[in-house]
Amino acid sequence: MIQLKKKVTEDWQNAFPELAVYSQNKFYKIVGPTIIGLELVKLPRTEDYRPYFICYPLWKQNIKTCLDNPIIIKEFNNKKGMLFSIPYAKHTAFFSDVLSEVKKQIPIPFEGDVSLKKLFSTIDEYSKTSYLSAAPNSYLQAVLQESKLALALCTSNDDQVRSILSHIQKSNWDVAHFAMWKVDVSQWLNQLQKMVENREELIFKVKQNKQEKKLEKLHHSKLEA
């Protein structure tokens, strides 16, 4: 099994040379104030795995907290519209077809720079996935809006900052759902206002996290406003 998993890692890394191997099943690159890439998740009680597109923030307290909660985690579907379940033992036989579908469905290209508009549209599309769209005023939706605000701040896009903050402040957030996550809506809104007022602190935290030794081998691209 060790050799099989090594082969899986090599094949995925070779397929996406812009991504560096962060760990055996994680392949990342840095795009502006985010980390994007692929993760291969072993499925419970099986010897199968499933690929996911992933996007993490870089403005949290440290790398651990950054990688604790992704902004986006997107599954890929096979030609029948079903989620992949790839046996490690049959990886070589399935890989070509899996890779073809993954390349079609990756929401943000791994090559070159990425526009803020593209990342925003990807977040908006992600917010429409079934388990998120069912509750448009939930805390989970609010977290996505907070991420968009942080991204706009990091790219110094003042028009976007004002637009997103205004949208957040005018939204009728589900207070009960926030409470389930032990978050007070008023306090959260105040924190966002402070984040806007202290933009330099946010940008400094991104720079600080990018200097972590764990990230030194990752390739970098710009997030263009």
Side-chain angles (χ1 to χ4, degrees):
M1 183 56 70
I2 292 174
Q3 287 302 316
L4 285 174
K5 290 185 176 181
K6 185 178 178 182
K7 170 65 172 168
V8 169
T9 300
E10 289 176 352
D11 284 350
W12 282 102
Q13 211 279 312
N14 289 336
F16 296 102
E18 282 258 335
L19 302 181
V21 179
Y22 182 80
S23 66
Q24 188 178 45
N25 63 338
K26 298 177 179 180
F27 311 85
Y28 298 154
K29 72 173 290 187
I30 291 172
V31 176
T34 68
I35 291 174
I36 68 169
L38 294 173
E39 292 185 2
L40 312 178
V41 178
K42 183 183 179 298
L43 301 180
R45 299 177 297 281
T46 71
E47 289 301 331
D48 298 358
Y49 76 90
R50 178 174 295 157
Y52 290 83
F53 171 85
I54 204 87
C55 176
Y56 291 105
L58 273 172
W59 53 81
K60 302 296 182 180
Q61 188 62 30
N62 52 49
I63 288 300
K64 183 183 183 304
T65 53
C66 287
L67 299 181
D68 276 347
N69 294 298
I71 302 169
I72 300 169
I73 177 167
K74 172 184 165 55
E75 301 158 327
F76 297 100
N77 297 320
N78 61 25
K79 291 177 181 177
K80 296 180 180 179
M82 306 291 287
L83 296 177
F84 283 111
S85 181
I86 308 156
Y88 285 102
K90 297 182 179 179
H91 160 81
T92 300
F94 291 168
F95 183 63
S96 179
D97 286 342
V98 173
L99 180 61
S100 176
E101 291 304 312
V102 166
K103 285 186 172 181
K104 290 177 190 174
Q105 297 172 43
I106 289 171
I108 298 172
F110 296 140
E111 302 82 16
D113 298 333
V114 177
S115 69
L116 183 64
K117 182 179 179 181
K118 177 63 177 176
L119 185 48
F120 275 4
S121 68
T122 301
I123 293 173
D124 290 341
E125 194 63 32
Y126 179 64
S127 74
K128 297 173 187 175
T129 53
S130 57
Y131 80 97
L132 286 167
S133 63
N137 296 315
S138 71
Y139 175 66
L140 298 178
Q141 291 283 2
V143 169
L144 291 177
Q145 292 300 316
E146 180 179 341
S147 295
K148 289 176 68 174
L149 182 63
L151 288 164
L153 286 166
C154 288
T155 54
S156 299
N157 194 314
D158 292 336
D159 289 342
Q160 287 283 10
V161 169
R162 285 190 289 270
S163 174
I164 296 164
L165 185 60
S166 175
H167 171 72
I168 290 172
Q169 291 170 335
K170 291 176 182 177
S171 295
N172 184 26
W173 297 111
D174 185 340
V175 175
H177 194 266
F178 271 67
M180 285 173 56
W181 290 84
K182 296 181 172 57
V183 178
D184 178 88
V185 174
S186 296
Q187 289 181 3
W188 175 70
L189 290 171
N190 287 336
Q191 287 170 3
L192 295 191
Q193 185 64 50
K194 288 179 182 177
M195 185 169 73
V196 172
E197 293 169 359
N198 299 297
R199 169 186 274 169
E200 293 307 315
E201 287 185 19
L202 189 78
I203 294 171
F204 177 76
K205 184 57 65 178
V206 171
K207 290 179 180 177
Q208 195 174 42
N209 284 329
K210 283 183 178 182
Q211 292 170 5
E212 280 287 328
K213 187 171 179 61
K214 289 183 178 179
L215 304 185
E216 64 184 8
K217 60 187 174 183
L218 302 189
H219 300 146
H220 290 242
S221 291
K222 294 178 183 176
L223 182 64
E224 299 177 327

